[in-house]
């Protein structure tokens, strides 16, 4: 089906990726997900193969410290036409995802980190998004239309080297300390995949509501592309599209479930990709099973990296996740011994390949309600 669709797309002059993106973004009638790869199931797909990771690269203690199972127990896959792409199906220990969800919703949006709300609100108004949203969110009536809290308006947060959405660059001046726990998690995952010495320097957290999508783009603003891009998914399931080096290349659809990790390295590091939709939760199961499991505590209190999530915090997190997904992308910006250029003129000019910025251009031309990070927020 996908091959026929791609051929039809090229015939009519529209790029194949855009056509597939629109197919899965469609709401009425809802899309057919039968062609979407599901790595959580026993796969019988000619495109998919198992990837051998390196269990000796990460000790069981270090994996546990980051809330991960021993590397030997991870299920990792690759795609035949996408060299360097690794998909790891939920390697997290039972109950450890709660820590990372709480960090994304409560801790990481705190100042001095930067979020989309800072674009049109004062620093004092966005100083403690969690605290200003918690009581209101707890009292909300399900199914009733009420004003959104700041937490519900959150669309992105940047960590470490803060990405400049206007110039499409990073700089030494726009930097705050990268979270130590996320740095450690990223380092362990990268090492297991063969990337020793990975240094997590920048992160972009994306917050998806039920009707959100992320435009077609390439992550190319980092100065060193030899290091992988890591992506961590929590909450509701999303459809992820992985394309080629050209916009006219067709895309491969796959599900990203809560706890799944993607690694884009080598030839796949600069491939077009997008998230066209969030998949509605099954009736009677508003949260994925892995987020309903209690914290076991074996990885807690070892050295303060992982923290127990208080019940009142998790009640708010789970309520948020009933209709939402959170994604953390982590990248190394600079290579060993590399420094930022003093003149960024050449990097700021030209036509961007990043779908985030395609959406920004549309902001100036239309009155559609889209934010600066590429999300389609049309009701």
């Amino acid at each position: 089906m996908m091959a026929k669709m791609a051929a039809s797309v090229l015939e009519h002059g529209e790029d194949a990726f855009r056509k597939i993106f629109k197919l899965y973004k469609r709401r009425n009638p809802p899309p057919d997900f039968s062609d979407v790869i599901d790595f959580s199931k026993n796969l019988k797909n000619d495109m998919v193969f198992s990837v051998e990771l390196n269990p000796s690269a990460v000790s069981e203690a270090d994996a546990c410290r980051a809330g991960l199972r021993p590397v030997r127990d991870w299920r990792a896959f690759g795609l035949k036409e996408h060299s360097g792409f690794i998909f790891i199906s939920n390697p997290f220990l039972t109950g450890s995802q709660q820590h990372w969800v709480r960090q994304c919703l409560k801790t990481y949006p705190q100042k001095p980190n930067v979020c989309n709300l800072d674009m049109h609100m004062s620093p004092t108004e966005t100083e403690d998004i969690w605290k200003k949203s918690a009581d209101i969110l707890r009292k909300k009536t399900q199914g009733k239309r009420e004003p959104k809290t700041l937490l519900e308006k959150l669309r992105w947060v940047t960590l470490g080297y803060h990405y400049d959405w206007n110039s499409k660059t990073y700089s030494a001046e726009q930097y705050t300390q990268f979270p130590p726990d996320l740095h450690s998690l990223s380092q362990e995952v990268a090492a297991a995949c063969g990337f020793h010495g990975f240094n997590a320097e920048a992160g972009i957290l994306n917050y998806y509501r039920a009707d959100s999508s992320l435009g077609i783009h390439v992550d190319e603003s980092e100065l060193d592309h030899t290091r992988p891009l890591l992506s961590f998914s929590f909450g509701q399931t999303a459809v992820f599209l992985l394309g080629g080096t050209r916009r006219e290349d067709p895309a491969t659809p796959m599900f990203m479930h809560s706890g799944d990790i993607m690694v884009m390295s080598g030839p796949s590091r600069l491939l077009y990709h997008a998230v066209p939709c969030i998949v509605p939760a099954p009736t009677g199961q508003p949260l994925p099973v892995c987020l309903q499991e209690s914290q076991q505590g074996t990885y807690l209190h070892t050295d303060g990296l992982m923290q127990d999530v208080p019940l009142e915090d998790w009640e708010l997190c789970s309520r948020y996740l009933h209709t939402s997904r959170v994604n953390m992308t982590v990248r190394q910006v600079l290579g060993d011994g590399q420094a930022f250029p003093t003149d960024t003129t050449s990097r700021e000019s030209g036509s961007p390949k990043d779908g985030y910025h395609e959406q920004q251009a549309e902001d100036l031309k239309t009155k559609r309600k889209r934010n600066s990070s590429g999300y389609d927020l049309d009701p």
Side-chain angles (χ1 to χ4, degrees):
M1 176 182 161
M2 298 299 288
K4 289 180 181 178
M5 181 189 302
S8 172
V9 169
L10 295 176
E11 230 174 67
H12 291 85
E14 184 180 3
D15 69 84
F17 202 137
R18 177 66 65 185
K19 185 80 171 184
I20 297 171
F21 182 90
K22 289 180 178 179
L23 172 71
Y24 287 110
K25 190 177 178 348
R26 188 181 66 200
R27 297 180 192 171
N28 191 21
D32 177 5
F33 294 118
S34 60
D35 284 331
V36 182
I37 296 174
D38 192 341
F39 292 101
S40 68
K41 298 180 179 178
N42 293 323
L43 292 169
K44 293 181 180 179
N45 191 310
D46 293 338
M47 294 178 59
V48 179
F49 61 92
S50 295
V51 172
E52 292 293 328
L53 302 179
N54 185 2
S56 63
V58 181
S59 70
E60 289 191 30
D62 285 342
C64 183
R65 180 171 166 267
L68 299 165
R69 300 197 303 271
V71 176
R72 65 173 181 274
D73 296 333
W74 296 9
R75 297 172 62 246
F77 305 92
L79 294 174
K80 287 183 178 177
E81 296 183 5
H82 298 291
S83 178
F85 176 77
I86 303 173
F87 191 104
I88 305 170
S89 182
N90 186 13
F92 288 92
L93 288 165
T94 298
S96 70
Q97 290 186 48
Q98 280 89 329
H99 166 84
W100 299 107
V101 170
R102 198 268 300 266
Q103 293 295 87
C104 289
L105 296 180
K106 184 176 184 178
T107 306
Y108 296 156
Q110 296 273 21
K111 297 291 172 266
N113 296 330
V114 181
C115 71
N116 62 292
L117 301 177
D118 295 321
M119 304 298 104
H120 54 85
M121 298 177 70
S122 68
T124 55
E125 290 177 299
T126 61
E127 191 167 354
D128 194 334
I129 292 173
W130 174 275
K131 185 176 180 181
K132 292 176 179 177
S133 304
D135 288 341
I136 301 172
L137 197 54
R138 288 191 181 100
K139 295 174 184 177
K140 278 198 170 189
T141 305
Q142 194 169 7
K144 184 179 179 182
R145 291 184 67 88
E146 300 178 58
K148 290 183 178 180
T149 62
L150 293 180
L151 190 60
E152 292 170 301
K153 293 179 180 179
L154 199 59
R155 291 296 176 264
W156 54 260
V157 169
T158 55
L159 310 171
Y161 287 117
H162 297 285
Y163 186 70
D164 188 316
W165 303 98
N166 294 316
S167 67
K168 303 172 285 295
T169 62
Y170 299 95
S171 69
E173 291 74 31
Q174 296 179 335
Y175 176 81
T176 56
Q177 183 186 12
F178 194 88
D181 57 351
L182 184 53
H183 187 282
S184 180
L185 171 67
S186 304
Q187 197 171 48
E188 308 302 354
V189 171
C193 295
F195 297 97
H196 299 277
F198 176 79
N199 185 21
E201 295 178 314
I204 297 179
L205 313 185
N206 292 324
Y207 300 81
Y208 297 80
R209 303 297 288 172
D211 58 352
S212 298
S213 62
L214 184 62
I216 304 167
H217 67 284
V218 175
D219 292 283
E220 61 178 357
S221 294
E222 295 72 32
L223 275 66
D224 182 10
H225 296 147
T226 65
R227 294 295 183 170
L229 175 74
L230 310 181
S231 176
F232 304 86
S233 184
F234 303 106
Q236 297 301 327
T237 296
V239 173
F240 178 81
L241 299 177
L242 181 64
T245 57
R246 304 174 305 163
R247 282 293 291 263
E248 54 266 29
D249 295 333
T252 301
M254 63 198 79
F255 287 125
M256 280 202 77
H257 299 299
S258 191
D260 289 345
I261 301 173
M262 292 190 307
V263 180
M264 297 176 68
S265 67
S268 77
R269 175 63 177 81
L270 296 175
L271 297 183
Y272 283 99
H273 54 280
V275 177
C277 69
I278 307 302
V279 181
T283 303
Q285 189 182 314
L287 274 186
V289 174
C290 58
L291 290 175
Q292 299 177 35
E293 298 167 332
S294 61
Q295 300 172 87
Q296 292 185 337
T298 55
Y299 47 83
L300 300 173
H301 315 304
T302 52
D303 59 3
L305 178 64
M306 299 288 293
Q307 299 176 0
D308 195 359
V309 178
L311 181 59
E312 63 175 8
D313 280 3
W314 182 245
E315 286 177 347
L316 187 60
C317 289
S318 61
R319 181 162 186 156
Y320 175 91
L321 290 180
H322 280 186
T323 56
S324 304
R325 168 183 179 256
V326 180
N327 184 254
M328 308 188 298
T329 56
V330 179
R331 58 289 304 277
Q332 180 170 331
V333 177
L334 300 170
D336 297 336
Q338 196 171 22
F340 288 105
T342 54
D343 182 9
T344 59
T345 304
S346 61
R347 296 178 62 209
E348 294 179 17
S349 62
S351 176
K353 292 170 66 177
D354 191 328
Y356 291 122
H357 308 106
E358 292 172 4
Q359 304 294 352
Q360 285 185 339
E362 289 181 18
D363 281 342
L364 302 176
K365 297 177 181 178
T366 73
K367 293 183 179 180
R368 298 185 69 191
K369 187 182 177 185
R370 292 183 181 225
N371 80 354
S372 60
S373 57
Y375 292 89
D376 187 342
L377 302 178
D378 286 343

